[in-house]
Structures are given as structure tokens and as C-alpha cells.
Amino acid sequence: MDASTLTHIAAIVVGMLITLVVVKSFQAKEANSVITPANATKPTTRKRKKKKVKATNGSGSSQGVKAEEVPVIKERPLPVPLNEEEEPASTREAPKGNKQKKKKNGGQTKPKDTSLQQKEATSVKQTKTNSRPAPKTKALPQEQGKKTEPQWETHKPDEEWVVEGPKKKKNRNQKPKSVKNANVSQTSSAAASTDSITVNASKIGVVIGPKGATMKALEEATGCKLDINAPSKDDSSKVKKPQNATIVITGGDAEGIAKVKTAILDLSNKGYAKLLQSDNFGEFSTMVHPRYLSEIVGPGGKTIQAIQSALDVKLTIPSTDWKPNAPKVGKVKLCQVGIAGSKEHSKEAKAVIQSLVRWHHHEITHPGLIHEQVDVPQEFYHCVIGTRGSEIKHIRGNFNVEMFMPNEDSVTDSIIVVGKQSNVDRAITYIQTLIDRDTEQREKKYNDEFY
């Protein structure tokens, strides 16, 4: 073998020997630290400083007496608490050989106290029977006229020592604070000034208004605060059923809450609130056949928006189950269209609605349009309408006019053509041409049959 290999082997052997020595030393220390019945009663505490207190006996001679030892609290709880009562130095037993230490006091030693010996014997028995007792240690009796030291709190296994001082006595004469009553009154007043209302989620935009103007006006008029909890647009698009939104009303008094609730219901049902209107504000109505509700609203709501913006009124269109192609049974129930605003503007709005029902236009809603009545016998309706409505579609598309055929609910029995003057004249000429063509075809047919 080389010298280098021998050196490595020797280093490994030396390292192993050192490791074995260290392990054995740790094992010896752990064996000494194990608590056995023989050393269970011996406390493993730090040295305590003892103060000597001069005490006088009956003969007037002073004798050194050790005061109560203050335990040093360690981080790890002791396995056995110290339960020995402090004695005078002359009567204490020495830790080795059970010999008593004697102190010179004028050449005399103080006799042993039998009561203290009995107590010490009982405490030693308890430590032997129970390795972890939890008795309370009593304080040494001090000189007369002095207050006793606070008692030490016993500790449970696996817990730290806890020092408990003298408990403070409660002053029974002190009156309890009236905090609970104040809290109860605050909660009751808060509960009384909080309310909520549920409306259709599709009407929340009307309650909020443009840039929140309507909601701010309601809060200023009633002194209440409104918090709207409405479902998101994504949730409402997935669910076809109508969803509701909750409006929480806080603050204000009972009268203000009642007013704002009425205003919210009016906004969701009628589209306006009387609370936000002027003193000249009034509510009116007019009866309309369900057939003409669509004309009052107009395509995309343009017609009703024009009326409301021009006359500063609010129109309420009722819902109806009427369908134009449904079989008719009895009389059709008319619908009540609400008009809210000043008296003058409401009268004008009513005139506009009546013009729409009769002539299908008005200067406010359809500026620059006129209407003409064309008397057409009922036997020529088929030629004006055409096969599957082909002719009436041709007239509307080519001449840019609207043509309305009379029905049982119409004001007149004539065909009404609505549009610009030039377009209406061209449409009427074409209608007359259709009637003449049909008349010639009938005459020709009758002549051929005759001959």
C-alpha cells in the first residue's frame, strides 16, 4: 500500500474513535439526568439567595431566621415542586447525612419544633407517593403586625409556574355603567330607520336615472340613503325568469322612508314619481285600443320618447294580453294610457295620442308628414293588398309611405296613406291604377262569358 492510503485509513479510524467517545459521554449525561425514585424528591433548582431576618425570642436574644425562599421560574417546568416549608436555620436538616446545622447564638442552640418536624415528615411522604404533586405552598408566617405574602399558585404537569397576586375586591357601591342601555337604544333606532323594498331588476335603471340623478333627488327629498343590490347582467342573461332587485333604505325618519318607498314603486310601475315633480304636476289618462299601443311606443321607443321630451310629460303604457291574430270573443277591453305632467302639457300629449290613433302621425312625433284618405270599395281590397300582401309591400317600399287598411276599430272606412306629400300623391295614383286594372279585367271576363 501507498503512504497516502495508509494515512486516509488512520484518519478514518481516529474519527470513529472520537465519535464513539462523544456518544458515550452524551449517554452518560442523559443517564444522570433521568429522574428516579431516589432523586425524585431532590429539587433541581438554582441556588437561592436567602435573607436573614432578625427575630427576638422570649429571652430577648436575637436569632437569625431565613426568610421565605423566592422560586426562580425556569422555562421548563420542574418535575416535582418544592413543598418544604422554610424553617429557622437551627432546625433545618442538612442535605447530607441528615445532620442539623447549628448557629451560634450566645453559645446556645434552639430546640427543634415538633410541629414543624411533623409537617416536614408528611410532605416527604407525599413526595414519595406521588412523583408530581400539585399542592399549594404556604408562605412563612412573618412577624406580627405585618401582612402575609401572596400565595403561590400550584402548577399542573407540563405547565409553567404561575404567580397569582392578591385579588382585587369589587366595589359593590359603584353603580354599573349604562352602556348596555345606550347600545340597545342605538340598535333599536338603527333597526327602526332601516327598511328595504323589492322591485323588478329591469326597472332599476329608471330608479337610478341618468348618471344617478333620480336616486340623488330621492335621497335629497327624503333624507334617506339608498343602496341597490341588483343581479349582474351576466346572471340576468342566463336566467330567463324575471329577477328582482333589493333596494335597502337607511337613515331618515319613518315618514321619509314611507315617501321614498312610494316614489320607488311609482318609478318602477309608472316611470315617474310625484315626489320629484313640481306643484303644478298632475296625472291624467286616455283610453286606447290595444292595437294602437305599438304606434304610441314607436319603433325602438322613438315615438314615446319624442312625446315625453317635447312636452315634458311621462307616459305610462299598460301591459296587455291582446294579440292581433287571436280569435275575437266579445268586446276588446280598452287600455288606459297614463299621462303625468302639467295640465297644459298633459292636454297636448293627449291630443298627440289621439292623432296617432286616428291618423297614425303627428307633427311632434312625425314632423313633415301628412296623411290622405283614399276611398276604396271593399271589393277592391284584394287588388290593393295583393297576393300575400305583395302589393301593399310594394307601395310601402317603392313610395316610402305607410298605408293602413280600415278595420272594425278604425275611425274611418277609408285607406289612410301617411308620408310626404309627393310620395303620398304617387302612392294614391298607383292605388287608383290597381283599381282600374282590376275593373278592366272584370269587364273583359264578363264580356267573354256573354259572347
Side-chain angles (χ1 to χ4, degrees):
M1 294 184 180
D2 297 336
S4 61
T5 55
L6 290 174
T7 303
H8 287 298
I9 292 170
I12 293 169
V13 172
V14 171
M16 292 174 65
L17 291 174
I18 293 171
T19 305
L20 289 174
V21 171
V22 172
V23 170
K24 286 182 179 181
S25 64
F26 277 108
Q27 289 178 354
K29 288 182 181 180
E30 289 179 357
N32 293 331
S33 64
V34 174
I35 299 171
T36 60
N39 61 0
T41 58
K42 294 181 181 180
T44 59
T45 58
R46 298 178 182 176
K47 290 183 180 181
R48 306 168 184 174
K49 293 183 181 180
K50 303 176 183 179
K51 294 182 180 180
K52 293 182 180 181
V53 180
K54 291 183 180 181
T56 58
N57 52 15
S59 62
S61 61
S62 62
Q63 182 181 3
V65 180
K66 292 184 180 181
E68 182 185 0
E69 297 176 2
V70 180
V72 179
I73 299 173
K74 298 176 68 178
E75 294 181 356
R76 183 177 179 183
L78 297 175
V80 179
L82 185 60
N83 193 27
E84 296 180 359
E85 296 183 353
E86 295 296 333
E87 300 176 4
S90 60
T91 59
R92 291 187 62 185
E93 292 182 1
K96 293 183 181 179
N98 295 329
K99 293 182 180 181
Q100 296 179 354
K101 288 184 180 180
K102 297 181 181 179
K103 282 197 175 182
K104 293 180 180 181
N105 187 9
Q108 295 180 359
T109 57
K110 191 176 179 180
K112 294 182 178 180
D113 192 356
T114 56
S115 62
L116 294 175
Q117 290 180 358
Q118 290 177 0
K119 290 180 180 179
E120 184 177 359
T122 54
S123 64
V124 171
K125 288 180 182 180
Q126 289 179 359
T127 55
K128 288 182 179 181
T129 54
N130 188 5
S131 62
R132 291 184 180 181
K136 289 186 179 180
T137 58
K138 297 182 180 178
L140 272 175
Q142 302 293 333
E143 295 178 2
Q144 293 183 358
K146 291 185 178 181
K147 294 183 180 179
T148 58
E149 294 277 336
Q151 294 183 356
W152 298 99
E153 182 71 14
T154 58
H155 77 285
K156 296 180 181 180
D158 300 334
E159 290 184 0
E160 295 182 356
W161 291 91
V162 179
V163 179
E164 183 179 9
K167 295 183 180 179
K168 295 182 180 180
K169 293 183 179 180
K170 294 182 180 180
N171 190 3
R172 296 181 179 179
N173 296 328
Q174 186 178 1
K175 294 182 180 180
K177 296 180 181 179
S178 60
V179 177
K180 293 183 179 180
N181 296 332
N183 293 335
V184 171
S185 62
Q186 289 178 2
T187 53
S188 61
S189 61
S193 61
T194 303
D195 204 344
S196 62
I197 186 171
T198 304
V199 297
N200 193 346
S202 61
K203 302 293 183 180
I204 287 297
V206 181
V207 178
I208 296 174
K211 297 182 180 180
T214 305
M215 189 169 68
K216 289 179 182 178
L218 289 174
E219 291 177 348
E220 292 176 358
T222 59
C224 301
K225 185 179 179 181
L226 303 180
D227 294 328
I228 298 175
N229 299 325
S232 60
K233 293 182 179 180
D234 297 335
D235 297 339
S236 60
S237 61
K238 292 178 182 179
V239 182
K240 294 183 179 180
K241 295 182 180 179
Q243 292 184 333
N244 295 329
T246 304
I247 301 175
V248 181
I249 307 168
T250 56
D253 53 1
E255 185 179 357
I257 292 174
K259 286 182 179 180
V260 75
K261 288 177 72 174
T262 304
I264 291 171
L265 290 176
D266 290 342
L267 286 170
S268 61
N269 296 330
K270 302 177 182 179
Y272 64 91
K274 194 174 182 180
L275 180 65
L276 304 178
Q277 305 301 328
S278 61
D279 297 335
N280 195 23
F281 181 81
E283 294 181 343
F284 307 92
S285 63
T286 181
M287 305 305 293
V288 177
H289 192 278
R291 185 192 304 275
Y292 303 109
L293 292 178
S294 59
E295 293 207 24
I296 297 172
V297 176
K302 291 181 179 180
T303 304
I304 190 172
Q305 290 176 6
I307 298 172
Q308 293 181 146
S309 61
L311 301 178
D312 192 18
V313 295
K314 295 290 183 180
L315 300 183
T316 305
I317 306 299
S319 59
T320 179
D321 298 333
W322 180 85
K323 295 180 181 180
N325 298 327
K328 299 178 183 179
V329 179
K331 292 184 179 180
V332 178
K333 186 178 180 180
L334 300 180
C335 297
Q336 184 178 3
V337 178
I339 306 170
S342 62
K343 293 181 180 180
E344 296 79 7
H345 292 169
S346 297
K347 288 181 180 179
E348 292 182 13
K350 189 175 182 179
V352 173
I353 293 172
Q354 291 176 353
S355 176
L356 291 173
V357 171
R358 291 180 179 179
W359 315 117
H360 308 283
H361 77 98
H362 190 271
E363 187 62 26
I364 293 176
T365 58
H366 303 83
L369 301 185
I370 56 99
H371 71 277
E372 291 289 345
Q373 300 184 47
V374 182
D375 294 332
V376 179
Q378 192 172 0
E379 58 185 359
F380 294 104
Y381 282 178
H382 68 281
C383 65
V384 175
I385 296 173
T387 306
R388 298 180 180 179
S390 58
E391 290 296 341
I392 196 169
K393 290 178 182 178
H394 174 76
I395 294 171
R396 288 173 177 172
N398 289 352
F399 303 108
N400 195 17
V401 295
E402 288 291 337
M403 190 170 65
F404 300 93
M405 302 298 295
N407 52 53
E408 58 183 4
D409 302 317
S410 299
V411 179
T412 179
D413 294 334
S414 302
I415 296 175
I416 299 174
V417 182
V418 180
K420 292 183 178 181
Q421 185 67 54
S422 59
N423 295 336
V424 169
D425 294 339
R426 291 168 56 199
I428 292 174
T429 303
Y430 183 76
I431 291 172
Q432 191 65 42
T433 302
L434 293 175
I435 295 173
D436 295 341
R437 186 187 302 171
D438 187 76
T439 303
E440 291 178 0
Q441 289 179 357
R442 287 184 181 184
E443 290 179 355
K444 185 177 180 180
K445 182 178 178 180
Y446 293 151
N447 293 333
D448 292 342
E449 288 179 355
F450 179 76
Y451 293 103

